[in-house]
Amino acid sequence: VHRFFALVDNIIDGDFIRLGAEDFSHIRALRLRPSELFIVCDGEGTDYICRLGERGEDVAVIVETRRTLGEPDVDCGVYLAYAKGDRLDFAVQKSVELGAREIILFPSERCIAVPGDASKKAARFQRISLEAAKQCGRGRVPNVLTANSFEDAVNKAGRAKLPLFCYEDEKKHSLKSVLESYNGKFETVSIFTGPEGGFSPQEAKLAADSGMISVTLGARILRCETAPIAALTALMYHSNNF
Amino acid sequence: VHRFFALVDNIIDGDFIRLGAEDFSHIRALRLRPSELFIVCDGEGTDYICRLGERGEDVAVIVETRRTLGEPDVDCGVYLAYAKGDRLDFAVQKSVELGAREIILFPSERCIAVPGDASKKAARFQRISLEAAKQCGRGRVPNVLTANSFEDAVNKAGRAKLPLFCYEDEKKHSLKSVLESYNGKFETVSIFTGPEGGFSPQEAKLAADSGMISVTLGARILRCETAPIAALTALMYHSNNF
C-alpha cells in the first residue's frame, strides 16, 4: 500500500483529505484505480486510510483512521558526531528505520569532517529522514537538528531521563547492565555516539558533568556508523519496541 | 594497537612468530619502534601480543598470548539474499562487526540482482569480511559462502539449533518472544533474511518445512540490509555478547 505524509499542504477535513499538489500528482502518476487504498499519515502518529474520490479530484475519502503502528513508545534522540563520506547518510537512515524520534548532529574534537554550512547539510539529512520514514512506515518524520558545539549537544542530551554516552574507554558499565538497572519507563532516552576517532577524555568529562551515563557497547570496536544503530536496536529490543 | 591476522604464511613457533612477507612489509611501513607492541591473531580466537625483534628481522617476539576478546560465544550464521548495489557490502561488513560466525549468500525468488559469477562475488565479500574483522577486533574472520539455491540455503540454515526465518508476513511470533522462550544456550543460530521484495509464500513454506521458525522484526518495515543487522544485534544483546 502506498503511503504519504501530509506534511506540507494536505488538508484533513472530517472524512476527506484535500491533497497537496505534490502528493496529488504523485498519486496520479501511480495510476491507482478509484477503489485502491493508500495511506496518508499526518506525521503526528495517525494514519488515514484513503481512496481517491470518484470524480478524479484532488480530494481523497478517508476510509479508516488509526494510530500508526510503526511508532515506538520510547522517545529516543540519537546524537551523531559528524563523520566522513556516506557514513552519516547511513546512520541517519538506519536511525529512522529503527525508531529514533530525533537526530542531532554535532561537532566533536576528533571529527575529521565538520561541514562549513551545517544548515545545508541538515536539510539533506532531513530529506533522508523523510524518505526512510515513508519507506519503513513511521508515524512521524524524525527531525534532524544540528548542535553548534559539543557542549550544546551534551547539554541537550543530558536532559533525557536516560542519557547514554557510548564510550570506548568505558570498561565497567555495559549498555545492557544500564538498561536492566533502569527503573522506570523508557520515556526519554539519548544515545550519544562519537566520530571515527572516538571521544577525548575531556569530552567524556563534559558528558559526565552534564549527567550522562557512560556505557560500553562490548568487546568489538564498532565503527562510528554502527555504534548508534546497534545501541538503538538494543534499546528498542529491550523496551519491547522491536 | 595494530592488529594482523596470521592467516596465510605467518608461522607461530614457541615464543616467536615468523611474519609472512605481506604482513612484514605492512609492519615495516608502519615504522613501529622496536618496543612498540602489535597483535597477531591466529584467526582461531587467539591473540599474540608481539614486538619486532631487535635486529629488524621478520621475526616477532611474543610478549603475551590471550584469548581474543572480540569473539562472541554464540555461533550465528547470517543468511543474506542477494541484493542490489552496495547493500550486501554493507550487510556483510556490519554482520562481521556485530559478531556473525559465518555469512551465507543465497538466491531468492524476488532477488533483483543475482550475480552471474557467484564465486567472484564471494571473494570480494571475503575481503570485506577480513577488513571488518581486523578493524573491529574479531578473533576469527567469518567465512563468506554462497548457496547455489534457496533450498540449499534453507537446508543448511535449518540445521542450527535455533533457526530464525525473518519474515514480513509473520504476525504472531516476534524475535524477542522466540529468543525469550528458547530454553538452552545459544550455541548455533541462523538468521535468515530476504531480498528487497521479501520472501514468497512458497519460500516461507520451504523454510518451515526445513524446521525454521518464522519471526517478525516488528511494526516497522526494515530494509533488506537493516533486517539482518538488527536481528543479529538483538541476538547478541539477548545472549550477553554485546
Side-chain angles (χ1 to χ4, degrees), chain A:
Chain A
V1 181
H2 293 281
R3 199 158 173 281
F4 301 87
F5 278 103
L7 295 176
V8 190
D9 48 5
N10 295 311
I11 296 162
I12 296 160
D13 178 17
D15 292 340
F16 299 94
I17 297 181
R18 185 167 296 276
L19 298 162
E22 195 184 329
D23 284 345
F24 184 55
S25 69
H26 188 173
I27 288 169
R28 287 225 298 202
L30 293 171
R31 301 185 184 281
L32 296 178
R33 277 160 290 140
S35 61
E36 230 171 319
L37 299 179
F38 58 94
I39 300 171
V40 177
C41 178
D42 69 354
E44 299 291 329
T46 301
D47 275 2
Y48 298 92
I49 322 296
C50 302
R51 57 175 170 73
L52 280 179
E54 276 165 32
R55 285 163 299 170
E57 310 166 309
D58 59 352
V59 172
V61 182
I62 297 171
V63 176
E64 189 191 334
T65 301
R66 67 179 182 206
R67 197 176 62 80
T68 312
L69 297 173
E71 219 37 49
D73 68 2
V74 42
D75 175 346
C76 180
V78 174
Y79 291 72
L80 303 170
Y82 288 112
K84 268 203 304 190
D86 57 0
R87 292 179 173 201
L88 266 190
D89 293 17
F90 165 77
V92 169
Q93 183 189 63
K94 299 311 170 210
S95 294
V96 171
E97 279 183 72
L98 294 164
R101 176 68 65 95
E102 185 172 78
I103 293 155
I104 301 93
L105 310 176
F106 66 91
S108 171
E109 221 175 289
R110 296 180 186 163
C111 279
I112 299 167
V114 176
D117 189 345
S119 67
K120 212 184 230 173
K121 272 274 189 189
R124 195 174 114 70
F125 291 120
Q126 190 62 57
R127 282 196 300 277
I128 293 176
S129 173
L130 173 62
E131 285 313 311
K134 272 188 197 172
Q135 181 271 332
C136 74
R138 289 285 306 261
R140 294 172 189 272
V141 182
N143 280 327
V144 182
L145 311 173
T146 54
N148 290 322
S149 66
F150 182 86
E151 288 76 3
D152 284 359
V154 109
N155 284 335
K156 180 172 161 65
R159 287 199 288 271
K161 284 195 184 168
L162 184 62
L164 301 168
F165 185 75
C166 302
Y167 187 38
E168 213 180 297
D169 289 345
E170 168 64 40
K171 299 298 173 201
K172 212 166 135 198
H173 301 292
S174 70
L175 175 61
K176 191 169 193 180
S177 69
V178 170
L179 291 181
E180 282 178 346
S181 70
Y182 181 72
N183 290 315
K185 286 175 65 181
F186 292 94
E187 276 164 13
T188 54
V189 181
S190 305
I191 289 174
F192 205 94
T193 59
E196 289 88 346
F199 291 118
S200 72
Q202 290 80 353
E203 289 177 328
K205 190 178 174 309
L206 278 172
D209 289 348
S210 79
M212 299 199 78
I213 304 162
S214 279
V215 294
T216 164
L217 300 179
R220 288 178 297 284
I221 299 148
L222 301 179
R223 281 171 194 263
C224 67
E225 74 278 17
T226 316
I229 62 176
L232 183 60
T233 301
L235 170 69
M236 292 300 164
Y237 181 81
H238 189 95
S239 64
N240 299 312
N241 279 294
F242 188 74

Side-chain angles (χ1 to χ4, degrees), chain B residues 14-230:
Chain B
D15 292 340
F16 299 94
I17 297 180
R18 186 168 295 278
L19 298 163
E22 195 183 328
D23 284 344
F24 184 54
S25 69
H26 187 173
I27 288 168
R28 286 225 297 202
L30 293 171
R31 301 183 185 282
L32 295 179
R33 277 160 290 140
S35 61
E36 231 172 319
L37 299 179
F38 58 94
I39 300 171
V40 177
C41 178
D42 69 353
E44 299 292 332
T46 301
D47 275 1
Y48 300 93
I49 322 296
C50 302
R51 56 177 170 73
L52 280 180
E54 275 166 30
R55 286 163 299 170
E57 310 167 309
D58 59 351
V59 173
V61 182
I62 297 172
V63 176
E64 191 191 333
T65 301
R66 66 179 183 206
R67 196 175 64 77
T68 311
L69 296 173
E71 221 34 52
D73 68 1
V74 41
D75 175 345
C76 180
V78 174
Y79 292 72
L80 303 170
Y82 289 111
K84 267 202 304 188
D86 58 1
R87 291 179 173 202
L88 267 191
D89 293 17
F90 166 76
V92 169
Q93 182 190 66
K94 298 310 169 210
S95 294
V96 172
E97 279 182 72
L98 294 165
R101 177 70 66 95
E102 187 172 76
I103 294 155
I104 300 91
L105 310 177
F106 65 91
S108 173
E109 221 175 289
R110 297 181 187 163
C111 277
I112 299 167
V114 177
D117 188 346
S119 66
K120 212 184 230 176
K121 272 276 189 188
R124 195 175 116 68
F125 290 120
Q126 191 61 57
R127 282 195 301 278
I128 293 177
S129 174
L130 173 61
E131 287 310 312
K134 273 188 196 173
Q135 181 270 332
C136 74
R138 290 287 303 263
R140 296 172 188 272
V141 182
N143 280 327
V144 183
L145 311 172
T146 55
N148 290 323
S149 66
F150 183 87
E151 289 76 1
D152 284 0
V154 109
N155 285 335
K156 180 172 161 66
R159 287 199 289 274
K161 286 196 185 166
L162 185 61
L164 301 168
F165 186 76
C166 301
Y167 188 37
E168 211 180 300
D169 288 346
E170 168 65 38
K171 298 297 173 200
K172 212 166 136 196
H173 300 291
S174 70
L175 175 60
K176 191 169 192 180
S177 69
V178 171
L179 291 180
E180 282 178 346
S181 69
Y182 181 71
N183 289 316
K185 286 174 64 179
F186 293 93
E187 277 164 11
T188 55
V189 182
S190 304
I191 289 174
F192 206 94
T193 58
E196 288 87 346
F199 292 119
S200 72
Q202 291 81 354
E203 289 177 327
K205 191 180 175 307
L206 278 172
D209 289 347
S210 78
M212 300 200 77
I213 305 162
S214 279
V215 294
T216 163
L217 299 179
R220 287 177 299 282
I221 300 148
L222 300 179
R223 281 171 194 262
C224 66
E225 74 277 17
T226 316
I229 61 174

Side-chain angles (χ1 to χ4, degrees), chain B residues 5-23:
Chain B
F5 278 102
L7 295 175
V8 191
D9 47 6
N10 295 312
I11 297 163
I12 294 161
D13 178 16
D15 292 340
F16 299 94
I17 297 180
R18 186 168 295 278
L19 298 163
E22 195 183 328
D23 284 344

